[in-house]
Amino acid sequence: MTDTTLADLALEVRAKNAGPFWLTLEAFMSDDAGYRVADALITPETVAALYHVEAGTLQIFRIPQLRVVKVSMPRPTPQGSLHDRDMHAGQHHIPLAELPVPRGRA
């Protein structure tokens, strides 16, 4: 049996540009129970560990009415720079989507 991930509970987990120096991760949850799980799991410490960034650089927006948790953070490299491997920041959602949900919380 595989472990449940955040993506299993979500309508969508995605990443996108938030300007050339920032990216945003978004977890759109399908119901209130899923939102409560995402709200508890998506912490500055968890995101910092997943993305190897300083927790103090993160901005987390919780929107319970829409069942969305958004995280904005500095891009690892500026958009379009020589070492940018994801121009639109569309692949950065994967670590968050694969975040395991502790048993009994799903």
Side-chain angles (χ1 to χ4, degrees):
M1 181 175 173
T2 60
D3 289 332
T4 301
T5 65
L6 189 63
D8 294 327
L9 302 179
L11 291 171
E12 183 175 16
V13 179
R14 70 182 183 190
K16 62 184 182 178
N17 282 331
F21 304 107
W22 286 80
L23 63 90
T24 295
L25 306 166
E26 300 169 324
F28 294 86
M29 307 312 291
S30 58
D31 57 27
D32 290 336
Y35 174 79
R36 286 190 295 275
V37 171
D39 187 48
L41 287 180
I42 300 174
T43 65
E45 296 77 20
T46 299
V47 176
L50 288 173
Y51 290 91
H52 309 288
V53 297
E54 295 291 326
T57 65
L58 302 173
Q59 297 177 358
I60 299 180
F61 305 93
R62 301 173 190 285
I63 311 166
Q65 300 87 344
L66 299 176
R67 300 182 190 128
V68 176
V69 179
K70 300 176 75 156
V71 179
S72 291
M73 71 177 91
R75 285 179 59 100
T77 58
Q79 180 187 17
S81 68
L82 179 63
H83 299 289
D84 184 11
R85 298 180 352 177
D86 186 3
M87 180 78 144
H88 300 288
Q91 299 303 310
H92 290 276
H93 70 285
I94 294 170
L96 185 63
E98 292 180 348
L99 183 64
V101 174
R103 292 191 189 274
R105 295 201 82 179

